Amino acid sequence: MPKPLPGAATLAALAILSSCSSPKPEPPKTVKINKQPFGQTRNGESVELYTLTNKNGVETSITNYGGRVVTLKVPGRAGKFADVVLGFDSLDGYLGNNPYFGALIGRYGNRIGKAKFTLDGKEYKLAANDGANSLHGGVVGFDKVVWKAQEGTGEEPSLKLTYLSKDGEEGYPGNLSVTVVYTLTDKNELKIDYTAGTDKDTVLNLTNHAYFNLAGEGVGDILGHEIMLNADRFTPIDSGLIPTGELKPVKGTPFDLTKPTAIGAHINDKDQQIQFGKGYDHNFVFNGGGGLALAARVVEPKSGRVMEVLTTQPGVQFYTGNFLDGSVHGKGGKAYSYRSAFCLETQHFPDSPNKPDFPSVVLKPGEKFESTTIYRFTTQ
Ligand code: GLA
C-alpha cells in the first residue's frame, strides 16, 4: 500500500528540522591575528597587544612595547597547553623593573666591556649600566621603546615591527633602521627574522630575551630540563662576565652540553667559570658554517615539551635565570624564583666590538644585516 501523503503540519515540522540540520554550521573561524589595546607608556604612547594563532591552536601574544613576547602557549605530550614564557598580564609590569622579559634587545645585545669601543679610529662611550660595562643596549635599549607594528598578510600569522634608532642614541653611531618579523608557523615555530641597515658605520647585535620554562611559567625551577647545545666551544668570561677572548673547548667541563644533559647536573660545580656566572650565563660558539642550523634542543621530561632552536647566528647566551630571586611577580602574581627559567639568546659574541678576533659586528652603509632564529615546539 502506498504511504499516505504527509499533511501540512508534518511538512512544517520537516521544514523546521531541515533548517536546523542544513546548511551545516560553519566551523568556528580561527582568529589568526587579534589586536587589542595594551595600555600607554609613561610618555602617553599607546601600545598594542597582538595575538597570533596558528592552525594547531598554538598562540603567542606580542606587544610593540619592546617587541616583547608576552605569552607563548604550546601543547605538551598529553595535548595540554601551557604558557612557556615568563612575563606580565599587563603593560605596567613591563614598564616596571624586570630583567628584559620577552624583549627584543639592541642596539648591542649582551655586554660591551668598560662601556666603550673604538670604530674607524673614533672612541664611542656608552652607558655603564652593568657595573663598569654596558649591557643590552644601555639605559633605554630596544626593549624599552615603542616599535611600529604592522600585521602580516601571509598564510601564516605574522607581525612586522620596525624601529629607527637615531644617530647617537645610547651613544651608538649611525641611524639604524631595524625590522623584526615574528611569524607563528603552522609547524609550531616562532620564527624571528631580523634585518637592519645604517647610514654610518656602526656595531649591532640583535636578539630576543624570552625566558622559557617548558613546564609552564611559574612552575618551579628548570634544573630538570635537559639541554643539548651544538657547541664544542664557549667564550670564557672574567668576573664581570666579559669574554677573555679565548674560544675554549667545552670537553671535560660543565659546559659540555653537546649531549642531552639536565641543566642542574653541573650548575653548582666548583668551577671558576660557573662561579663567575652564578650558574650558566655564557656565550656558546656554535659548530657549523653560519647557515640556519639546529643550535639547541631542550626537553622538559614530565610534560614532554621540546623546544629546538635554529639560528643563523654564530653564538647563544645560555642564561639560567641566576638573577631571578622571587622579587619580580609575573603573570597571575606568581613570584618568579631563582632559576625558574632559562634563556637562549642567539647572538654574536659579547664584547665583539673590542675583540678583533671575534666575528665582526660592524655594519656599514649599503650593507644589509640579516639573521633568523626559530624556536620550534614539538613533544616527545
Ligand atoms: C643576560 C645576561 C645576564 C643578565 C640577564 C638579565 O642574559 O647575560 O647576565 O644580565 O641578561 O638579567
Side-chain angles (χ1 to χ4, degrees), residues 17-179:
L17 269 180
S18 79
S19 80
C20 291
S21 58
S22 126
K24 283 212 180 97
E26 286 268 305
K29 194 168 174 260
T30 318
V31 180
K32 282 179 134 190
I33 307 179
N34 175 21
K35 176 183 173 184
Q36 283 187 318
F38 199 44
Q40 285 197 342
T41 66
R42 306 232 155 104
N43 305 329
E45 282 176 280
S46 293
V47 166
E48 272 79 44
L49 186 69
Y50 296 84
T51 303
L52 280 53
T53 310
N54 77 2
K55 68 168 191 202
N56 310 315
V58 167
E59 182 193 292
T60 185
S61 55
I62 297 165
T63 173
N64 58 327
Y65 177 72
R68 293 174 186 246
V69 177
V70 172
T71 64
L72 179 53
K73 296 178 184 167
V74 298
R77 195 190 290 123
K80 195 173 163 223
F81 280 69
D83 183 356
V84 295
V85 292
L86 273 55
F88 301 100
D89 296 317
S90 70
L91 180 64
D92 260 6
Y94 292 100
L95 297 177
N97 192 29
N98 75 89
Y100 308 93
F101 285 158
L104 293 177
I105 306 290
R107 179 176 307 199
Y108 197 92
N110 215 303
R111 292 176 174 79
I112 296 185
K114 300 197 175 73
K116 61 181 184 185
F117 66 94
T118 301
L119 180 63
D120 302 330
K122 189 170 173 216
E123 186 175 277
Y124 293 92
K125 288 203 167 58
L126 309 168
N129 61 337
D130 188 60
N133 306 318
S134 187
L135 176 68
H136 292 334
V139 179
V140 183
F142 293 0
D143 58 297
K144 293 184 188 68
V145 299
V146 178
W147 294 63
K148 264 200 202 113
Q150 197 187 327
E151 296 171 30
T153 52
E155 272 297 292
E156 295 169 318
S158 66
L159 182 70
K160 179 176 170 182
L161 299 174
T162 51
Y163 178 66
L164 173 68
S165 168
K166 298 250 173 70
D167 187 11
E169 188 175 308
E170 288 292 335
Y172 292 94
N175 289 298
L176 182 78
S177 84
V178 186
T179 300

Side-chain angles (χ1 to χ4, degrees), residues 99-100 110-111 135-136 209 211 241 281 317 319 323 345:
Y100 308 93
N110 215 303
R111 292 176 174 79
L135 176 68
H136 292 334
H209 208 310
Y211 283 68
L241 280 71
D281 194 352
Q317 188 79 4
Y319 168 60
F323 295 117
E345 304 152 59

Side-chain angles (χ1 to χ4, degrees), residues 24 218 230 244 263 294 336:
K24 283 212 180 97
N230 183 22
T244 60
I263 291 179
L294 183 73
Y336 288 144

